[in-house]
Amino acid sequence: MQRIFPVNEQQLKPYIGHPVLVYLRDGGEIFGMFTRMKDGNLFLNEDPSQYVPAASKNKNLKIAGKTAKAKLKQNASEIVQEQKTSAAAGTYTGYAPLILSQDMIFALFILP
């Protein structure tokens, strides 16, 4: 069990898909699969086939022609297919998706 501190996007990025134990400031405990962290919110138990990081929405991304656009589209569809395959393989926990504000978190531990 490894404690992650501070709890932020940069620290948690390598642990996407790992089981976590979250201790809340009110004394509660939550177990789940870490999906992502965005805008100060911790997302747990999201279905991987429903969440795809959208590279095409990146405004800083420059695409140099039709060939590059086609390749980007193909890569995005491959990511979706990979995530659907991993969901079918049983990596989705089946727990209800949960969003926790970073302010609610007292401590977060990555489980082996």
Side-chain angles (χ1 to χ4, degrees):
M1 192 161 67
Q2 176 184 354
R3 183 174 183 186
I4 303 297
F5 185 81
V7 177
N8 61 39
E9 290 180 49
Q10 187 177 16
Q11 292 282 55
L12 287 170
K13 192 171 185 175
Y15 301 105
I16 292 174
H18 288 246
V20 295
L21 177 60
V22 181
Y23 288 102
L24 303 176
R25 293 190 185 278
D26 68 0
E29 300 174 7
I30 296 175
F31 170 79
M33 298 299 279
F34 172 63
T35 309
R36 61 189 167 122
M37 185 158 191
K38 184 175 181 180
D39 300 326
N41 293 313
L42 183 76
F43 292 77
L44 301 177
N45 307 325
E46 289 182 303
D47 184 347
S49 67
Q50 299 299 316
Y51 170 68
V52 179
S56 61
K57 291 182 181 177
N58 186 344
K59 294 180 183 176
N60 297 327
L61 184 65
K62 295 182 181 176
I63 299 174
K66 292 181 181 179
T67 308
K69 286 181 183 178
K71 182 132 179 116
L72 180 64
K73 197 172 197 178
Q74 179 183 0
N75 288 344
S77 65
E78 288 173 4
I79 290 170
V80 170
Q81 188 57 41
E82 266 182 43
Q83 290 181 341
K84 286 182 180 179
T85 303
S86 68
T91 57
Y92 174 57
T93 63
Y95 295 113
L98 184 61
I99 302 171
L100 296 171
S101 169
Q102 189 173 1
D103 298 334
M104 297 173 59
I105 301 170
F106 176 71
L108 184 137
F109 293 90
I110 302 296
L111 303 175

